[in-house]
Amino acid sequence: MRRIAAITIALLAAATPLAAQTSVPAKVKFIHVGTLLANPGEAPRGPSTIIIRDGKVVEIRDGFVAPEGGAELIDLKDRFVMPGLVDMHVHLWGIGGDPLRDRLTALNRDDEDDMMHAVANARVTLEAGFTTVRDLGGSARGMRALREGVERGDIAGPTIVNAGNSISVSGGHADGTNGVAEVFADAIHKHQINTCDGPEDCTRAVRQQIALGAQVIKYMSTGGVLSNVSGGLGRAMTDAEMKAIIDTAHGLGRKVATHSHAAAGTKAAVATGVDTVDHGSFLDDEAIALMKKNGTWLVPTMMAPAAALEQARKGLLPPAVIPKAEEAAAAAFASHSKAYAAGVKVAFGTDSGVSRHGDNAQEFSLMVKAGMSPAMALKAATRNAAEALGRSNIGSIAPGKDADIIAVAGSPLDDIKRMEQVEFVMRHGVVHKAGGKRQAFPAE
């Protein structure tokens, strides 16, 4: 009985808010801001004070307000401050940006090794100013563990919305047996659960990824550049397979992203109700019109084909990849320019992992070069991305929202390349990169 009573007391204590248990005072921070872009897409405001309590924005006041007793002051009076950035397409798991090293060490790496790389990739991504990411392909269990480690505060990294393993038809872009010697392919095939053929099998694949912790589902509408198989970038799935994936995921409360290059795959995915089209390298007028009609988000990942083409030219990719990299890089810029001009909804994404982690902000310059204004590019990486994710707690700086805040030295509205040198990063009220002056004010 005494053991049961002790367990009951422990459970009641666990259910009691921490503040009620220990009377820990709220952690309050005042940030003095020179220029504040609280709502990207709108005009910035001048000198302001952001007040943060327990990781949330409480208030924004005009001018530089003196901190109240016990609060910490962060001085960013000479900085341009804005919400933390969101990258809708990253791959944190394993080695990133170095395909030759990845291939050469594949047989000697375990999941534990790839987790160590993922921890490092998460930190460098956060320090680049990206406080939230959507991870679209990695170990389902491993990425779930990394996601939870970040949320507990054990690991420095961005908020992670993870997809687990990408769903693919046999021989498709996410089939791990592609281009692998038979003895290894047989072993991979026995343990692989993300490939599916036919609608019923694709329903099973979605449910299994969700069971392993996937918060979003990603599937492959078309072939892919980096898969080591000679098949091109054309459509890979039937209408029935796509519908099974999307309906099952939506029924279980998950949004769906599709990897898609060829226009035929994109149009089929959009017609079936996909939430985001990632890459969209070959968008014709019909695909663009259909995306506008359905309100489908485009996640351009303009860095990816450029990085793959550079790697291919250096001989770092298998021969089967090189013509696909050349084809996608040649088409993507024109496709995205047309989509921007037509008013397709755009959310920021990079496919980092193809390119190096931490270089994510280089995507901004490519978006601007393709016809997007700096203001709209910043909105794509904040408010737009938050909407595409379905996360109302991020994307702008406002009372009640997460205190995800970054700062740069000058206005990126004048020079978008300034986003490549983020000097200050706060996530959930915790400073992870300090580019300003900090001072604590003791309570009187």
Side-chain angles (χ1 to χ4, degrees):
M1 288 295 294
R2 281 184 294 179
R3 182 171 180 272
I4 293 173
I7 292 172
T8 303
I9 292 169
L11 288 172
L12 288 172
T16 304
L18 182 61
Q21 293 178 51
T22 61
S23 299
V24 174
K27 296 179 180 178
V28 180
K29 294 181 174 70
F30 279 51
I31 305 179
H32 286 174
V33 175
T35 304
L36 176 61
L37 186 65
N39 291 290
E42 300 178 7
R45 56 193 285 173
S48 306
T49 299
I50 305 170
I51 302 173
I52 296 162
R53 180 179 290 111
D54 290 337
K56 298 283 186 180
V57 176
V58 175
E59 189 178 357
I60 301 174
R61 300 183 191 174
D62 292 331
F64 301 135
V65 179
E68 300 164 357
E72 177 185 357
L73 174 64
I74 300 173
D75 184 356
L76 297 175
K77 291 196 290 287
D78 59 349
R79 296 291 187 268
F80 184 100
V81 175
M82 61 178 289
L85 303 171
V86 182
D87 192 329
M88 292 284 287
H89 194 131
V90 303
H91 298 280
L92 296 176
W93 191 254
I95 296 172
D98 191 342
L100 184 59
R101 181 183 172 206
D102 185 31
R103 289 166 58 211
L104 289 175
T105 61
L107 292 179
N108 305 106
R109 295 200 321 267
D110 291 312
D111 277 354
E112 292 82 355
D113 300 301
D114 283 335
M115 174 63 90
M116 293 300 100
H117 288 295
V119 168
N121 294 336
R123 174 180 285 278
V124 75
T125 300
L126 178 64
E127 291 179 350
F130 291 83
T131 53
T132 301
V133 298
R134 188 177 65 163
D135 188 276
L136 291 185
S139 164
R141 293 182 186 276
M143 286 308 304
R144 181 188 64 186
L146 181 63
R147 178 190 81 204
E148 295 303 316
V150 169
E151 292 309 306
R152 289 193 303 269
D154 299 338
I155 299 166
T159 300
I160 297 169
V161 180
N162 63 302
N165 289 315
S166 301
I167 295 171
S168 168
V169 294
S170 295
H173 182 43
D175 185 344
T177 66
N178 288 336
V180 177
E182 184 178 5
V183 63
F184 304 121
D186 287 345
I188 292 169
H189 184 73
K190 290 177 183 177
H191 297 282
Q192 188 167 259
I193 64 171
N194 65 303
T195 53
C196 63
D197 298 289
E200 290 186 6
D201 198 23
C202 288
T203 294
R204 182 269 313 158
V206 171
R207 289 172 176 166
Q208 285 189 302
Q209 290 305 309
I210 291 174
L212 291 172
Q215 296 178 316
V216 63
I217 292 296
K218 178 193 177 186
Y219 79 93
M220 308 304 198
S221 290
T222 72
V225 171
L226 295 183
S227 52
N228 187 18
V229 62
S230 59
L233 301 174
R235 178 174 172 174
M237 280 193 173
T238 67
D239 286 350
E241 288 168 333
M242 292 190 198
K243 188 174 189 306
I245 290 168
I246 294 168
D247 287 354
T248 303
H250 284 172
L252 292 170
R254 268 62 172 182
K255 290 182 179 291
V256 183
T258 189
H259 156 108
S260 190
H261 288 289
T266 297
K267 287 182 279 192
V270 173
T272 315
V274 78
D275 297 292
T276 72
V277 170
D278 291 57
H279 311 311
S281 304
F282 301 86
L283 297 176
D284 59 20
D285 292 340
E286 184 182 0
I288 289 171
L290 189 60
M291 291 181 74
K292 283 194 67 178
K293 177 183 175 182
N294 287 23
T296 310
W297 291 93
L298 172 65
V299 180
T301 68
M302 298 185 75
M303 291 178 66
L309 184 58
E310 180 181 357
Q311 292 161 1
R313 287 172 173 167
K314 292 179 178 178
L316 302 179
L317 297 173
V321 171
I322 295 172
K324 293 186 290 182
E326 292 173 342
E327 185 182 9
F333 185 85
S335 287
H336 298 149
S337 294
K338 286 174 62 178
Y340 300 163
V344 170
K345 295 197 302 183
V346 177
F348 184 99
T350 62
D351 209 0
S352 290
V354 176
S355 54
R356 293 191 315 167
H357 296 285
D359 289 346
N360 312 53
Q362 292 178 12
E363 182 82 12
F364 285 113
S365 293
L366 297 174
M367 296 170 81
V368 170
K369 185 178 179 182
M372 189 174 282
S373 70
M376 290 301 100
L378 295 177
K379 185 181 178 185
T382 50
R383 292 169 62 192
N384 284 9
E387 183 182 345
L389 275 178
R391 301 274 176 128
S392 60
N393 58 315
I394 59 173
S396 61
I397 300 174
K401 297 208 172 190
D402 289 343
D404 292 355
I405 296 169
I406 65 170
V408 293
S411 175
L413 299 172
D414 300 326
D415 182 359
I416 197 65
K417 281 189 172 293
R418 286 179 171 139
M419 296 306 300
E420 297 174 20
Q421 298 293 330
V422 171
E423 298 187 349
F424 173 90
V425 178
M426 170 184 283
R427 177 186 170 273
H428 291 190
V430 177
V431 176
H432 291 276
K433 188 175 185 180
K437 300 173 184 176
R438 303 174 67 183
Q439 184 176 354
F441 286 78
E444 295 179 355

